[in-house]
Amino acid sequence: MSVYPVGGSGSQALQQAYKHMNDAASRIARDSTTAANPKTEATSSGNGTTQSLVEMKEASAQTQAGVKAVKAQDGMVGTLFDNYA
């Protein structure tokens, strides 16, 4: 009998979304710091910030999907407990 971790795919989706969101936010912060410093040449244009914002929106959608997966898995486990109790 195999034992699967409860919430595995849902929690993995949440972890990946967090990582993507954090990476995108770091790039935005770095780009804004670079643009604010006149002695440093900006290596990225507004397109880099736009791309990071798009990635943050994607991470938000991934988070919502992960939450739905965790809720569905929770419901299935609850049903199993109800049926076998």
Side-chain angles (χ1 to χ4, degrees):
M1 176 179 184
S2 297
V3 177
Y4 297 99
V6 175
S9 62
S11 63
Q12 286 176 346
L14 293 173
Q15 289 171 351
Q16 290 174 351
Y18 174 78
K19 182 183 180 318
H20 290 292
M21 183 79 70
N22 194 30
D23 291 346
S26 294
R27 281 193 304 274
I28 291 170
R30 184 183 60 236
D31 289 349
S32 65
T33 303
T34 303
N37 188 352
K39 294 181 180 180
T40 307
E41 290 200 27
T43 56
S44 67
S45 63
N47 290 337
T49 301
T50 302
Q51 179 63 32
S52 295
L53 290 171
V54 169
E55 289 175 13
M56 289 180 80
K57 188 66 174 176
E58 290 171 349
S60 175
Q62 186 178 9
T63 300
Q64 291 172 357
V67 167
K68 287 180 182 180
V70 169
K71 284 182 179 180
Q73 291 165 351
D74 180 52
M76 287 187 285
V77 169
T79 300
L80 287 172
F81 283 143
D82 290 344
N83 289 339
Y84 291 106

